[in-house]
Amino acid sequence: MSTYQPSKDINVCELFKEERKRLNLSQKDIADFLGMSSKQVSRWESQIAIPSDKLSLLSGLGFDVHYILTGNSFASAPTSITQNNYLSPSHTDLSVVPQYDLSASAGGGALVVAEHPIARFELSKRWLEQHNLHNKKLTVVPVRGDSMEHTLHDGDLTLVSLIDDLSEAREGVCVLRFDDEIFVKRIQYDFKTKGYKVTSDNSAYSGFFVEAEDIESGRFSVLGRVERVLQRARKID
């Protein structure tokens, strides 16, 4: 992961500390969220060395990352500027990944509420290239429920590559839509029946089969493939 180096006019340490206090968070709160030590977070408030991937994840806690990097808040900007620049990176070494107003449910499902981004994450372009993700359309999806434990846990933030064609996702852990519900499940395409076997990694949940007619009617679709877990909700034993 790269470390963002701002211009000399921007004091990232002070702006980071200011945002932390605005959100009424302790250094330990941030450390627990990122799965690291409070000592490391403390260093970020005394020297400019915040890894860009860690900084981008903090938007999940409500941090205004754009403000930390530039000193300018999206919230205080005119509406037209905010909308036009929302998906523009704050630095050339970073790439913006939006989060939409939906939840990938590992349990009972969640309705798709809106298609417009509700949050943005800035990830290192170098990191995306190293993981062959730089040419993919990406979004961040939070997991809800426990049916994919111990692969995914309730509250995990996943990096998902969106797809336009079902042939791009024949198997693996994917974000699915069935009618108005969103799920994250493991899938396997059946070439004979042209349907999908859908299973959970948690054996307490039963799997099911999606028939070809459900796909043809538009009731079922694969929205994207889970590529990475950006942030674990809790430490794995």
Side-chain angles (χ1 to χ4, degrees):
M1 294 293 182
S2 64
T3 298
Y4 175 69
Q5 297 296 337
S7 67
K8 294 181 179 179
D9 296 330
I10 302 297
N11 190 328
V12 171
C13 300
E14 288 299 322
L15 296 179
F16 172 78
K17 185 177 181 179
E18 182 181 326
E19 275 295 281
R20 177 176 66 78
K21 290 185 175 181
R22 178 182 70 83
L23 295 168
N24 196 29
L25 295 171
S26 67
Q27 293 178 351
K28 186 178 185 304
D29 291 332
I30 296 172
D32 290 344
F33 178 76
L34 295 175
M36 59 196 312
S37 70
S38 299
K39 186 176 182 181
Q40 181 61 57
V41 176
S42 177
R43 292 195 186 102
W44 294 347
E45 296 186 359
S46 60
Q47 62 184 25
I48 302 175
I50 304 177
S52 58
D53 63 309
K54 299 297 185 186
L55 187 58
S56 66
L57 290 175
L58 291 175
S59 61
L61 283 176
F63 275 77
D64 187 339
V65 175
H66 185 264
Y67 174 67
I68 294 173
L69 296 178
T70 68
N72 298 312
S73 174
F74 273 123
S76 61
T79 301
S80 59
I81 295 178
T82 301
Q83 293 175 344
N84 291 336
N85 293 330
Y86 192 73
L87 296 181
S88 298
S90 59
H91 190 267
T92 55
D93 292 337
L94 302 174
S95 181
V96 173
V97 177
Q99 177 182 339
Y100 296 95
D101 194 7
L102 59 86
S103 293
S105 174
L111 296 180
V112 180
V113 179
E115 296 181 354
H116 300 291
I118 59 171
R120 46 175 272 154
F121 295 77
E122 294 191 329
L123 304 181
S124 163
K125 287 183 177 179
R126 181 179 178 184
W127 182 85
L128 291 172
E129 290 174 357
Q130 289 174 341
H131 293 86
N132 197 30
L133 297 172
H134 59 295
N135 289 324
K136 297 184 177 181
K137 184 178 180 181
L138 301 170
T139 187
V140 174
V141 178
V143 174
R144 298 289 178 256
D146 64 354
S147 77
M148 287 300 290
E149 291 188 352
H150 292 280
T151 303
L152 297 173
H153 297 269
D154 183 36
D156 284 353
L157 291 179
T158 62
L159 184 62
V160 174
S161 59
L162 301 176
I163 65 169
D164 297 318
D165 190 330
L166 284 178
S167 64
E168 299 176 30
R170 297 295 197 190
E171 60 183 8
V173 179
C174 295
V175 179
L176 318 173
R177 178 187 61 81
F178 199 100
D179 290 335
D180 290 327
E181 293 187 340
I182 300 294
F183 300 92
V184 54
K185 299 288 184 181
R186 190 174 297 278
I187 63 172
Q188 184 176 11
Y189 183 70
D190 187 306
F191 285 90
K192 183 177 180 179
T193 63
K194 301 185 186 308
Y196 281 88
K197 180 182 180 181
V198 181
T199 58
S200 302
D201 287 0
N202 184 339
S203 59
Y205 289 79
S206 301
F208 59 92
F209 195 86
V210 176
E211 304 291 344
E213 60 188 47
D214 291 322
I215 302 172
E216 294 170 358
S217 67
R219 294 189 65 196
F220 173 86
S221 64
V222 180
L223 302 181
R225 181 190 301 277
V226 175
E227 301 285 357
R228 297 272 168 175
V229 178
L230 278 182
Q231 177 61 52
R232 289 287 184 187
R234 60 184 177 85
K235 293 183 178 180
I236 307 300
D237 296 331

